[in-house]
Amino acid sequence: MGLVAVCSRSTSRCSYACIMVTMMLLHAYMPCEAHLSSTFYDKMCPNALNTIRTSIRTAVSSERRMAASLIRLHFHDCFVQGCDASILLDEAASATSERNALQNLRSARGYEVIEAAKSQVESICPGVVSCADILAVAARDASVAVGGPTWTVKLGRRDSTSASLSQAETDLPRFTDGLEKIISLFDNKGLSARDMVALSGSHTIGQAQCVTFRDRIYNNASDIDAGFASTRKRRCPTNDGNGNLAPLDLVTPNSFDNNYFKNLIQRKGLLESDQVLFSGGSTDSIVSEYSKSPATFNSDFASAMVKMGDIDPLTGSSGVIRKLCSSIN
């Protein structure tokens, strides 16, 4: 304030210099904008990543499906309020828990795996590593555990103190969405149609509940292979078995590969929102490309996961580091 006052009284010859000095001093006292960095915990918690990796490998080795669940959990976190671990807050912590959104209810899973990894990290570095970062690292480690690509995870996210049920129901894709709707939802998060198709390739692993694909296998539409539909009907009757599971990729359900895209070309996409990626629309060529080149798919998937992990993180003094991922400190 003093320097500004002096400048205001200075002659025109020195006023410019005074203003410039003032701006430099003010800038020196402004907090630097925080950025994500892969080395964020190198000094604060050097064993964090190894600890998370061991925990995730243990979980996936006991249940291969968990790999798909953890990748999906990270995706559903980042699409609502950014990558802030808001999806991990339970009903006791937030009346608007995202766990109750239609797109998450009785399908999002792996919460206890993230909580276990958090507990392990807390035992060596209390109050340092965020749940949001653990979830981002877990998605990468889950991919690797089932033969998928790896990528460098940028770190330094902090955890939210709130969740948004309404935003979850608005911003997360639904299994009945058409192609343009899905492209729009991803575009709203800064992700391209190519990113969307690559990320959809995570459906090369994991399973879906009968209730999510019943309409597709019984409507006898031209975009579904008749033999495939018949096979899926065996465990998905017309009026029962809503929770019965079927692999999203019938060929190699537990391996991360490019068979998902080959299935789409053969009209064997399990969900409606899968098959629309290859149905005469703008993404057909991308599906064809990935079906022929697993290396291209793996590379694009890794790049898209990094981009998704950059969606609106809380950094610096924003947010908190939760002690338990399911509750606010």
Side-chain angles (χ1 to χ4, degrees):
M1 290 295 293
L3 185 54
V4 174
V6 170
C7 280
S8 66
R9 295 193 299 269
S10 66
T11 65
S12 60
R13 285 183 299 176
C14 71
S15 61
Y16 177 76
C18 284
I19 291 171
M20 290 301 294
V21 171
T22 302
M23 291 175 64
M24 290 171 65
L25 288 171
L26 288 173
H27 181 74
Y29 285 99
M30 290 173 63
C32 294
E33 182 183 354
H35 294 285
L36 301 182
S37 165
S38 62
T39 61
F40 188 82
Y41 296 114
D42 281 8
K43 293 183 179 179
M44 292 185 291
C45 191
N47 291 320
L49 297 188
N50 285 335
T51 302
I52 297 169
R53 183 184 303 113
T54 299
S55 187
I56 299 307
R57 280 180 177 174
T58 300
V60 174
S61 66
S62 63
E63 185 196 6
R64 297 280 285 185
R65 181 189 174 201
M66 186 54 66
S69 299
L70 293 173
I71 293 171
R72 184 173 186 257
L73 200 60
H74 179 44
F75 160 43
H76 280 215
D77 178 40
C78 290
F79 264 51
V80 184
Q81 299 187 166
C83 307
D84 62 356
S86 57
I87 194 173
L88 303 180
L89 292 173
D90 62 19
E91 295 87 343
S94 173
T96 58
S97 174
E98 294 163 22
R99 298 188 186 197
N100 292 325
L102 178 64
Q103 297 93 319
N104 293 326
L105 190 62
R106 291 187 292 275
S107 64
R109 55 197 299 276
Y111 302 110
E112 73 287 351
V113 173
I114 300 301
E115 204 71 75
K118 171 66 169 175
S119 177
Q120 291 292 316
V121 173
E122 283 292 300
S123 70
I124 58 171
C125 305
V128 174
V129 182
S130 69
C131 297
D133 275 346
I134 290 173
L135 186 49
V137 173
R140 187 270 310 277
D141 292 344
S143 169
V144 173
V146 290
T150 187
W151 56 91
T152 301
V153 179
K154 290 188 280 185
L155 304 163
R157 301 169 190 81
R158 288 168 66 82
D159 301 324
S160 69
T161 55
S162 65
S164 177
L165 173 61
S166 60
Q167 190 179 335
E169 295 189 329
T170 300
D171 290 9
L172 290 172
R174 303 185 181 219
F175 59 86
T176 54
D177 283 343
L179 179 60
E180 294 309 314
K181 173 66 172 179
I182 299 171
I183 289 175
S184 175
L185 289 172
F186 277 74
D187 180 65
N188 290 342
K189 304 300 178 182
L191 297 168
S192 68
R194 189 176 183 89
D195 294 328
M196 180 272 290
V197 176
L199 291 170
S200 297
S202 63
H203 282 185
T204 182
I205 52 175
Q207 302 184 62
Q209 298 179 41
C210 167
V211 67
T212 64
F213 59 85
R214 178 183 285 121
D215 287 348
R216 172 161 164 73
I217 62 176
Y218 282 100
N219 71 4
N220 295 316
S222 60
D223 69 341
I224 187 166
D225 177 85
F228 173 74
S230 178
T231 300
R232 295 276 63 91
K233 289 176 183 177
R234 294 172 192 166
R235 282 189 46 77
C236 187
T238 53
N239 298 310
D240 194 15
N242 280 354
N244 290 355
L245 297 172
L248 289 158
D249 173 8
L250 190 59
V251 183
T252 53
N254 293 315
S255 297
F256 196 107
D257 53 33
N258 69 331
N259 271 324
Y260 167 80
F261 300 104
K262 296 178 182 179
N263 294 339
L264 296 185
I265 292 173
Q266 296 170 13
R267 298 179 295 130
K268 295 179 181 178
L270 185 61
L271 303 179
E272 185 178 338
S273 55
D274 288 326
Q275 194 60 57
V276 295
L277 303 185
F278 191 84
S279 57
S282 60
T283 55
D284 281 17
S285 61
I286 306 172
V287 171
S288 294
E289 183 181 357
Y290 290 160
S291 74
K292 298 171 185 175
S293 176
T296 301
F297 164 52
N298 283 346
S299 176
D300 284 3
F301 180 82
S303 296
M305 287 295 288
V306 173
K307 285 179 67 176
M308 187 178 74
D310 281 342
I311 298 175
D312 298 333
L314 297 171
T315 58
S317 58
S318 300
V320 298
I321 304 296
R322 293 187 212 141
K323 297 175 183 177
L324 293 173
C325 293
S326 60
S327 61
I328 301 168
N329 296 346

